[in-house]
Amino acid sequence: MTILWRFKELLKDLLLGKVRPAQKFFLGLEAPQKEITVWLHGRDAPLDVTNHHSLACASPFIICVAFEKGTKLKERELQVLSLHFCERENSRRLLGRIGLKYNGMSLPTKGPNLYFFQVSSASSYCLPLINLWMFYLQLRYRNWRYPSPPNTITLPSLQMRAMNILFICPRPIGLASAEEGSRGNMFPMNVMGQLDHGYFGFGLKEARSPSRLVARARRVALSTIPMQHGDLGYKLGPNHSKKTGIDWIDLPFATKRSRRYGIPIPEFALHVREMEVEVMKKLGSHIFFVGRIVEEERFSQWAEWCVIHGHYQTWRLRSRPVEIEFSIAEDARIKRGLIAESGLI
Ligand SMILES: Cc1cc2nc3c(=O)[nH]c(=O)nc-3n(C[C@H](O)[C@H](O)[C@H](O)COP(=O)(O)O)c2cc1C
Protein backbone atom coordinates (compact mmCIF):
# COMPACT_ATOMS: atom_id res chain seq x y z
CA MET A 1 0.00 0.00 0.00
CA THR A 2 1.47 3.30 -1.08
CA ILE A 3 1.65 6.36 1.13
CA LEU A 4 -0.65 8.16 -1.32
CA TRP A 5 -3.30 5.41 -0.98
CA ARG A 6 -3.11 5.58 2.81
CA PHE A 7 -3.43 9.34 2.73
CA LYS A 8 -6.53 9.09 0.51
CA GLU A 9 -8.13 6.55 2.87
CA LEU A 10 -7.36 8.77 5.87
CA LEU A 11 -8.95 11.74 4.15
CA LYS A 12 -12.04 9.65 3.27
CA ASP A 13 -12.36 8.50 6.90
CA LEU A 14 -12.16 12.10 8.01
CA LEU A 15 -14.61 13.55 5.50
CA LEU A 16 -17.05 10.68 4.96
CA GLY A 17 -16.75 8.81 8.26
CA LYS A 18 -14.92 5.58 9.07
CA VAL A 19 -17.88 3.22 8.57
CA ARG A 20 -19.40 3.61 5.11
CA PRO A 21 -21.96 0.87 4.40
CA ALA A 22 -23.57 0.60 0.95
CA GLN A 23 -26.53 2.93 0.38
CA LYS A 24 -28.91 0.03 -0.22
CA PHE A 25 -27.97 -2.03 2.82
CA PHE A 26 -29.43 -5.48 3.52
CA LEU A 27 -29.83 -6.82 7.03
CA GLY A 28 -31.88 -9.38 8.91
CA LEU A 29 -34.38 -8.17 11.52
CA GLU A 30 -37.02 -9.80 13.62
CA ALA A 31 -40.50 -8.96 12.24
CA PRO A 32 -42.18 -6.59 12.64
CA GLN A 33 -39.22 -4.24 13.01
CA LYS A 34 -39.15 -2.48 16.37
CA GLU A 35 -36.30 -0.02 15.88
CA ILE A 36 -38.00 2.97 14.23
CA THR A 37 -41.37 4.65 14.66
CA VAL A 38 -42.70 6.87 11.87
CA TRP A 39 -44.79 9.74 13.23
CA LEU A 40 -47.08 11.95 11.20
CA HIS A 41 -46.93 15.51 12.55
CA GLY A 42 -49.22 18.41 11.67
CA ARG A 43 -52.59 17.19 12.95
CA ASP A 44 -53.85 17.81 16.49
CA ALA A 45 -51.50 15.17 17.91
CA PRO A 46 -48.67 13.15 16.30
CA LEU A 47 -49.98 9.93 14.75
CA ASP A 48 -47.97 6.68 14.61
CA VAL A 49 -48.07 5.75 10.90
CA THR A 50 -45.27 3.15 10.99
CA ASN A 51 -47.70 0.55 9.61
CA HIS A 52 -49.91 3.01 7.74
CA HIS A 53 -47.77 4.35 4.90
CA SER A 54 -45.96 3.21 1.79
CA LEU A 55 -43.59 4.49 -0.84
CA ALA A 56 -45.99 4.68 -3.80
CA CYS A 57 -43.81 5.86 -6.69
CA ALA A 58 -40.09 6.49 -7.16
CA SER A 59 -40.19 9.20 -9.84
CA PRO A 60 -41.66 11.52 -8.82
CA PHE A 61 -41.11 10.45 -5.23
CA ILE A 62 -44.62 9.91 -3.81
CA ILE A 63 -45.60 8.62 -0.40
CA CYS A 64 -49.03 7.23 0.40
CA VAL A 65 -50.35 7.72 3.93
CA ALA A 66 -53.38 5.68 5.01
CA PHE A 67 -56.02 7.09 7.33
CA GLU A 68 -59.05 5.49 8.91
CA LYS A 69 -62.03 5.00 6.61
CA GLY A 70 -63.95 8.22 6.13
CA THR A 71 -61.13 10.53 7.29
CA LYS A 72 -61.13 13.87 5.49
CA LEU A 73 -58.06 16.01 6.07
CA LYS A 74 -58.60 19.76 6.40
CA GLU A 75 -57.01 22.13 3.89
CA ARG A 76 -55.03 23.70 6.74
CA GLU A 77 -53.68 20.29 7.87
CA LEU A 78 -52.61 19.33 4.34
CA GLN A 79 -50.23 22.32 4.26
CA VAL A 80 -48.19 21.36 7.32
CA LEU A 81 -47.84 17.58 7.43
CA SER A 82 -44.46 15.91 7.91
CA LEU A 83 -43.09 12.46 8.68
CA HIS A 84 -40.65 12.06 11.57
CA PHE A 85 -38.43 8.99 11.76
CA CYS A 86 -37.57 8.35 15.41
CA GLU A 87 -35.79 5.68 17.37
CA ARG A 88 -38.30 3.66 19.32
CA GLU A 89 -36.04 3.00 22.30
CA ASN A 90 -33.33 4.99 24.08
CA SER A 91 -33.93 8.70 23.76
CA ARG A 92 -36.45 8.32 20.90
CA ARG A 93 -34.09 10.45 18.94
CA LEU A 94 -35.26 12.08 15.70
CA LEU A 95 -33.17 10.64 12.84
CA GLY A 96 -34.92 12.10 9.81
CA ARG A 97 -37.77 14.35 8.77
CA ILE A 98 -39.66 14.56 5.46
CA GLY A 99 -41.89 17.58 4.83
CA LEU A 100 -44.99 16.49 2.86
CA LYS A 101 -46.57 18.38 -0.02
CA TYR A 102 -50.09 17.17 -0.83
CA ASN A 103 -50.24 16.30 -4.53
CA GLY A 104 -54.00 16.78 -4.74
CA MET A 105 -54.85 13.09 -4.83
CA SER A 106 -56.75 11.02 -2.34
CA LEU A 107 -58.24 7.59 -2.94
CA PRO A 108 -61.04 6.03 -0.97
CA THR A 109 -60.89 2.23 -0.69
CA LYS A 110 -63.27 -0.19 1.00
CA GLY A 111 -60.74 0.03 3.85
CA PRO A 112 -58.56 3.07 4.59
CA ASN A 113 -58.62 6.49 2.94
CA LEU A 114 -55.38 7.07 1.10
CA TYR A 115 -53.65 10.44 0.65
CA PHE A 116 -50.66 10.98 -1.64
CA PHE A 117 -47.78 13.37 -1.01
CA GLN A 118 -44.66 14.64 -2.69
CA VAL A 119 -41.82 16.14 -0.71
CA SER A 120 -41.24 19.74 0.39
CA SER A 121 -38.17 19.25 2.60
CA ALA A 122 -35.87 16.47 3.79
CA SER A 123 -33.47 16.51 6.73
CA SER A 124 -31.37 13.61 7.94
CA TYR A 125 -29.69 13.46 11.32
CA CYS A 126 -27.99 10.03 11.13
CA LEU A 127 -24.54 11.38 10.23
CA PRO A 128 -22.50 14.35 11.41
CA LEU A 129 -23.26 17.27 9.10
CA ILE A 130 -19.78 17.32 7.55
CA ASN A 131 -20.03 13.60 6.61
CA LEU A 132 -23.52 14.12 5.16
CA TRP A 133 -22.46 17.04 2.99
CA MET A 134 -19.37 15.23 1.80
CA PHE A 135 -21.47 12.18 0.95
CA TYR A 136 -23.76 14.25 -1.29
CA LEU A 137 -20.79 16.05 -2.81
CA GLN A 138 -19.13 12.73 -3.63
CA LEU A 139 -22.41 11.43 -5.09
CA ARG A 140 -22.71 14.48 -7.34
CA TYR A 141 -19.17 13.97 -8.54
CA ARG A 142 -19.82 10.26 -9.26
CA ASN A 143 -23.06 11.01 -11.12
CA TRP A 144 -21.24 13.58 -13.23
CA ARG A 145 -18.20 11.33 -13.85
CA TYR A 146 -20.17 8.10 -14.47
CA PRO A 147 -23.63 9.00 -15.81
CA SER A 148 -26.31 6.33 -15.23
CA PRO A 149 -27.35 4.19 -18.19
CA PRO A 150 -30.50 5.34 -20.02
CA ASN A 151 -33.81 4.20 -18.46
CA THR A 152 -32.39 4.33 -14.92
CA ILE A 153 -34.44 6.36 -12.50
CA THR A 154 -32.40 9.32 -11.28
CA LEU A 155 -34.02 11.66 -8.79
CA PRO A 156 -33.53 15.38 -8.20
CA SER A 157 -31.54 16.07 -5.03
CA LEU A 158 -34.48 16.78 -2.68
CA GLN A 159 -36.37 13.64 -3.72
CA MET A 160 -33.24 11.50 -3.43
CA ARG A 161 -32.61 12.81 0.10
CA ALA A 162 -36.23 12.05 1.00
CA MET A 163 -35.83 8.50 -0.36
CA ASN A 164 -32.76 7.99 1.83
CA ILE A 165 -34.70 9.17 4.87
CA LEU A 166 -37.67 6.93 4.08
CA PHE A 167 -35.33 3.94 4.33
CA ILE A 168 -34.23 4.91 7.85
CA CYS A 169 -37.26 2.82 8.72
CA PRO A 170 -36.26 -0.82 8.04
CA ARG A 171 -38.38 -2.24 5.25
CA PRO A 172 -38.81 -5.94 4.58
CA ILE A 173 -38.19 -7.06 1.02
CA GLY A 174 -41.01 -9.16 -0.33
CA LEU A 175 -40.95 -11.80 -3.05
CA ALA A 176 -44.17 -11.24 -4.97
CA SER A 177 -45.68 -14.09 -7.00
CA ALA A 178 -48.46 -13.81 -9.54
CA GLU A 179 -49.73 -16.47 -11.91
CA GLU A 180 -51.52 -16.62 -15.23
CA GLY A 181 -52.25 -20.11 -16.52
CA SER A 182 -49.12 -22.25 -16.31
CA ARG A 183 -46.76 -19.27 -16.29
CA GLY A 184 -46.18 -16.48 -13.86
CA ASN A 185 -43.41 -14.55 -12.21
CA MET A 186 -41.75 -14.12 -8.82
CA PHE A 187 -39.81 -10.92 -8.21
CA PRO A 188 -38.43 -8.89 -5.27
CA MET A 189 -40.20 -5.72 -4.08
CA ASN A 190 -39.29 -2.97 -1.66
CA VAL A 191 -41.54 -0.19 -2.94
CA MET A 192 -44.30 -1.25 -0.57
CA GLY A 193 -45.86 -0.90 2.86
CA GLN A 194 -48.60 -1.97 5.21
CA LEU A 195 -51.57 0.45 5.01
CA ASP A 196 -53.62 -1.04 7.84
CA HIS A 197 -54.35 -4.50 9.24
CA GLY A 198 -56.29 -5.49 6.12
CA TYR A 199 -54.66 -3.48 3.31
CA PHE A 200 -51.21 -3.37 1.73
CA GLY A 201 -49.73 -1.08 -0.95
CA PHE A 202 -46.99 -1.74 -3.50
CA GLY A 203 -45.50 0.02 -6.51
CA LEU A 204 -44.30 -1.61 -9.72
CA LYS A 205 -42.56 0.12 -12.61
CA GLU A 206 -45.08 0.79 -15.31
CA ALA A 207 -42.59 -0.07 -18.05
CA ARG A 208 -41.85 -3.59 -16.72
CA SER A 209 -43.86 -6.77 -17.19
CA PRO A 210 -44.68 -7.51 -13.49
CA SER A 211 -46.99 -4.47 -13.35
CA ARG A 212 -48.93 -5.79 -16.36
CA LEU A 213 -49.04 -9.32 -14.96
CA VAL A 214 -50.41 -8.11 -11.60
CA ALA A 215 -52.89 -5.81 -13.35
CA ARG A 216 -54.27 -8.78 -15.29
CA ALA A 217 -54.12 -11.44 -12.56
CA ARG A 218 -55.35 -9.06 -9.80
CA ARG A 219 -54.05 -11.59 -7.27
CA VAL A 220 -50.67 -11.61 -5.59
CA ALA A 221 -48.91 -13.65 -2.93
CA LEU A 222 -46.26 -11.64 -1.11
CA SER A 223 -43.71 -13.60 0.90
CA THR A 224 -41.04 -12.37 3.25
CA ILE A 225 -37.99 -14.59 3.49
CA PRO A 226 -35.14 -15.20 5.95
CA MET A 227 -32.01 -13.05 5.67
CA GLN A 228 -30.14 -16.33 5.22
CA HIS A 229 -31.83 -16.74 1.79
CA GLY A 230 -31.63 -13.06 0.77
CA ASP A 231 -29.03 -13.99 -1.86
CA LEU A 232 -31.62 -16.20 -3.61
CA GLY A 233 -34.21 -13.42 -3.42
CA TYR A 234 -31.77 -10.86 -4.80
CA LYS A 235 -31.07 -13.13 -7.78
CA LEU A 236 -34.71 -12.68 -8.80
CA GLY A 237 -34.16 -8.94 -9.52
CA PRO A 238 -33.75 -9.60 -13.28
CA ASN A 239 -37.22 -11.24 -13.29
CA HIS A 240 -38.59 -7.68 -13.41
CA SER A 241 -37.20 -7.54 -16.95
CA LYS A 242 -38.56 -10.92 -18.20
CA LYS A 243 -41.18 -9.96 -20.77
CA THR A 244 -43.11 -13.23 -20.69
CA GLY A 245 -42.57 -14.19 -17.07
CA ILE A 246 -40.83 -17.38 -15.94
CA ASP A 247 -41.31 -21.12 -15.72
CA TRP A 248 -41.69 -21.91 -12.02
CA ILE A 249 -39.27 -24.79 -12.46
CA ASP A 250 -36.49 -22.31 -13.30
CA LEU A 251 -36.54 -20.70 -9.83
CA PRO A 252 -33.30 -21.32 -7.90
CA PHE A 253 -35.23 -22.84 -4.95
CA ALA A 254 -38.16 -25.13 -4.19
CA THR A 255 -41.67 -23.72 -3.93
CA LYS A 256 -44.95 -24.64 -2.30
CA ARG A 257 -48.45 -23.31 -3.00
CA SER A 258 -50.10 -20.46 -1.09
CA ARG A 259 -53.14 -21.48 0.95
CA ARG A 260 -55.95 -19.41 -0.66
CA TYR A 261 -54.95 -18.87 -4.28
CA GLY A 262 -52.48 -21.75 -4.70
CA ILE A 263 -49.79 -19.46 -6.15
CA PRO A 264 -46.16 -20.71 -5.93
CA ILE A 265 -44.28 -19.17 -2.98
CA PRO A 266 -40.76 -19.94 -1.69
CA GLU A 267 -40.60 -23.10 0.39
CA PHE A 268 -38.69 -21.10 3.02
CA ALA A 269 -41.20 -18.18 3.16
CA LEU A 270 -41.53 -16.73 6.67
CA HIS A 271 -44.77 -14.85 6.22
CA VAL A 272 -47.20 -14.76 3.31
CA ARG A 273 -49.91 -12.24 2.53
CA GLU A 274 -52.33 -13.16 -0.24
CA MET A 275 -53.98 -10.12 -1.73
CA GLU A 276 -56.72 -9.22 -4.11
CA VAL A 277 -55.92 -6.01 -5.98
CA GLU A 278 -58.65 -3.49 -5.21
CA VAL A 279 -57.17 -0.29 -6.67
CA MET A 280 -54.48 0.48 -9.28
CA LYS A 281 -53.22 3.98 -9.96
CA LYS A 282 -50.49 5.15 -12.32
CA LEU A 283 -48.48 7.81 -10.48
CA GLY A 284 -45.35 8.32 -12.60
CA SER A 285 -42.60 5.73 -13.06
CA HIS A 286 -44.66 3.29 -10.95
CA ILE A 287 -48.20 1.97 -10.81
CA PHE A 288 -49.40 1.86 -7.22
CA PHE A 289 -51.46 -1.21 -6.34
CA VAL A 290 -53.65 -1.44 -3.26
CA GLY A 291 -54.28 -5.00 -2.17
CA ARG A 292 -56.91 -6.26 0.23
CA ILE A 293 -55.36 -9.01 2.33
CA VAL A 294 -57.50 -12.14 2.00
CA GLU A 295 -55.19 -14.60 3.78
CA GLU A 296 -52.13 -14.31 5.99
CA GLU A 297 -49.86 -17.12 7.16
CA ARG A 298 -46.76 -16.96 9.35
CA PHE A 299 -44.55 -20.01 9.09
CA SER A 300 -41.62 -19.05 11.35
CA GLN A 301 -39.83 -16.22 13.11
CA TRP A 302 -36.31 -16.12 11.63
CA ALA A 303 -34.70 -12.74 11.01
CA GLU A 304 -36.43 -11.28 7.96
CA TRP A 305 -34.55 -9.98 4.88
CA CYS A 306 -34.84 -6.17 5.10
CA VAL A 307 -33.32 -3.10 3.52
CA ILE A 308 -32.25 0.16 5.14
CA HIS A 309 -30.25 3.15 3.98
CA GLY A 310 -26.50 2.97 4.70
CA HIS A 311 -26.64 6.18 6.74
CA TYR A 312 -29.01 4.56 9.19
CA GLN A 313 -26.73 1.52 9.35
CA THR A 314 -23.83 3.85 10.24
CA TRP A 315 -26.03 5.23 13.02
CA ARG A 316 -27.00 1.74 14.25
CA LEU A 317 -23.41 0.55 14.27
CA ARG A 318 -22.33 3.33 16.62
CA SER A 319 -23.93 1.39 19.45
CA ARG A 320 -23.12 -2.05 17.99
CA PRO A 321 -19.42 -1.92 17.07
CA VAL A 322 -19.10 -5.71 17.21
CA GLU A 323 -21.59 -6.04 14.34
CA ILE A 324 -19.65 -3.91 11.85
CA GLU A 325 -17.67 -6.64 10.09
CA PHE A 326 -20.38 -9.30 10.17
CA SER A 327 -23.16 -7.03 8.91
CA ILE A 328 -21.05 -5.66 6.06
CA ALA A 329 -20.03 -9.21 5.08
CA GLU A 330 -23.67 -10.36 5.15
CA ASP A 331 -24.76 -7.48 2.88
CA ALA A 332 -21.93 -8.35 0.49
CA ARG A 333 -22.84 -12.06 0.55
CA ILE A 334 -26.33 -11.27 -0.74
CA LYS A 335 -25.04 -9.07 -3.56
CA ARG A 336 -22.15 -11.35 -4.51
CA GLY A 337 -21.87 -12.05 -8.21
CA LEU A 338 -24.51 -9.49 -9.14
CA ILE A 339 -24.14 -5.85 -10.09
CA ALA A 340 -25.28 -4.01 -6.95
CA GLU A 341 -27.74 -1.21 -7.70
CA SER A 342 -26.38 2.05 -6.34
CA GLY A 343 -29.69 3.67 -5.30
CA LEU A 344 -32.54 2.28 -3.24
CA ILE A 345 -35.04 1.66 -6.02
C1 LIG B 1 -34.27 -6.15 -3.82
C2 LIG B 1 -35.00 -5.58 -4.99
C3 LIG B 1 -36.21 -4.92 -4.80
C4 LIG B 1 -36.91 -4.37 -5.89
N1 LIG B 1 -38.11 -3.76 -5.68
C5 LIG B 1 -38.83 -3.31 -6.74
C6 LIG B 1 -40.13 -2.74 -6.55
O1 LIG B 1 -40.65 -2.67 -5.44
N2 LIG B 1 -40.80 -2.29 -7.65
C7 LIG B 1 -40.27 -2.37 -8.92
O2 LIG B 1 -40.92 -1.95 -9.88
N3 LIG B 1 -39.04 -2.89 -9.12
C8 LIG B 1 -38.31 -3.37 -8.07
N4 LIG B 1 -37.08 -3.93 -8.27
C9 LIG B 1 -36.54 -4.00 -9.64
C10 LIG B 1 -35.37 -3.08 -9.87
O3 LIG B 1 -35.75 -1.74 -9.67
C11 LIG B 1 -34.82 -3.31 -11.30
O4 LIG B 1 -35.76 -2.90 -12.24
C12 LIG B 1 -34.52 -4.76 -11.54
O5 LIG B 1 -33.60 -5.20 -10.57
C13 LIG B 1 -33.95 -5.02 -12.96
O6 LIG B 1 -32.81 -4.27 -13.17
P1 LIG B 1 -32.68 -3.36 -14.48
O7 LIG B 1 -33.74 -2.29 -14.35
O8 LIG B 1 -31.28 -2.79 -14.38
O9 LIG B 1 -32.88 -4.26 -15.64
C14 LIG B 1 -36.38 -4.48 -7.20
C15 LIG B 1 -35.16 -5.18 -7.39
C16 LIG B 1 -34.49 -5.71 -6.30
C17 LIG B 1 -33.21 -6.44 -6.55
Side-chain angles (χ1 to χ4, degrees), residues 173 188-191 203-205 208 234 237 240-241 286 341 345:
I173 299 168
M189 282 200 317
N190 61 4
V191 178
L204 286 169
K205 285 182 190 150
R208 299 290 163 96
Y234 194 57
H240 280 271
S241 309
H286 285 58
E341 290 146 337
I345 35 99

Side-chain angles (χ1 to χ4, degrees), residues 24 26 151-153 173-174 187-192 202-206 208 210 233-241 285-286 305 307 341 344-345:
K24 183 177 192 160
F26 295 132
N151 301 329
T152 337
I153 295 177
I173 299 168
F187 44 86
M189 282 200 317
N190 61 4
V191 178
M192 61 179 205
F202 55 95
L204 286 169
K205 285 182 190 150
E206 194 214 3
R208 299 290 163 96
Y234 194 57
K235 282 200 178 95
L236 302 191
N239 284 0
H240 280 271
S241 309
S285 57
H286 285 58
W305 181 34
V307 57
E341 290 146 337
L344 284 155
I345 35 99

Side-chain angles (χ1 to χ4, degrees), residues 26-27 173 175 188 225-237 253 268 303-306 330-331 333-336 338:
F26 295 132
L27 84 169
I173 299 168
L175 293 188
I225 62 168
M227 175 67 179
Q228 185 197 344
H229 295 306
D231 54 336
L232 297 175
Y234 194 57
K235 282 200 178 95
L236 302 191
F253 46 77
F268 45 72
E304 209 168 62
W305 181 34
C306 293
E330 271 293 276
D331 172 65
R333 174 182 67 78
I334 288 179
K335 296 168 181 166
R336 193 166 301 143
L338 292 162

Side-chain angles (χ1 to χ4, degrees), residues 54 83 90 123 301 317 320 340 342:
S54 172
L83 292 178
N90 306 325
S123 317
Q301 281 290 356
L317 290 174
R320 301 171 169 87
S342 55

Side-chain angles (χ1 to χ4, degrees), residues 9-209:
E9 286 304 302
L10 205 70
L11 201 64
K12 270 197 206 163
D13 286 355
L14 210 67
L15 296 177
L16 293 160
K18 265 195 171 154
V19 182
R20 302 188 293 271
Q23 281 195 70
K24 183 177 192 160
F25 193 86
F26 295 132
L27 84 169
L29 284 180
E30 196 187 304
Q33 70 82 23
K34 292 177 192 68
E35 294 188 4
I36 297 289
T37 309
V38 185
W39 294 100
L40 179 76
H41 280 243
R43 303 193 74 201
D44 295 339
L47 190 67
D48 180 347
V49 293
T50 315
N51 296 312
H52 301 277
H53 76 284
S54 172
L55 174 59
C57 180
S59 176
F61 174 84
I62 298 177
I63 294 177
C64 167
V65 182
F67 296 88
E68 270 177 28
K69 192 175 175 62
T71 306
K72 260 202 153 315
L73 297 183
K74 299 185 190 103
E75 200 59 42
R76 175 179 48 83
E77 288 174 319
L78 287 167
Q79 311 295 324
V80 293
L81 294 178
S82 58
L83 292 178
H84 291 215
F85 296 75
C86 299
E87 279 187 310
R88 189 162 292 194
E89 302 293 334
N90 306 325
S91 53
R92 302 187 176 182
R93 201 181 155 116
L94 173 68
L95 296 178
R97 182 185 176 284
I98 300 177
L100 299 177
K101 186 168 78 183
Y102 179 49
N103 80 346
M105 200 176 90
S106 62
L107 274 182
T109 68
K110 287 182 192 151
N113 257 19
L114 309 179
Y115 278 79
F116 294 82
F117 301 91
Q118 286 181 241
V119 53
S120 59
S121 64
S123 317
S124 173
Y125 309 110
C126 290
L127 299 185
L129 219 50
I130 173 82
N131 296 160
L132 192 67
W133 285 349
M134 286 300 149
F135 168 81
Y136 284 119
L137 201 66
Q138 189 196 39
L139 205 63
R140 272 197 172 202
Y141 170 74
R142 281 200 189 147
N143 290 345
W144 167 77
R145 187 83 179 73
Y146 312 103
S148 315
N151 301 329
T152 337
I153 295 177
T154 44
L155 296 179
S157 165
L158 175 63
Q159 297 182 36
M160 184 205 22
R161 285 187 285 123
M163 184 73 82
N164 297 349
I165 292 166
L166 194 75
F167 280 85
I168 286 175
C169 181
R171 298 184 187 271
I173 299 168
L175 293 188
S177 327
E179 194 172 37
E180 235 184 354
S182 63
R183 282 180 79 79
N185 204 346
M186 193 185 292
F187 44 86
M189 282 200 317
N190 61 4
V191 178
M192 61 179 205
Q194 183 85 36
L195 299 174
D196 73 8
H197 59 278
Y199 279 79
F200 199 88
F202 55 95
L204 286 169
K205 285 182 190 150
E206 194 214 3
R208 299 290 163 96
S209 60

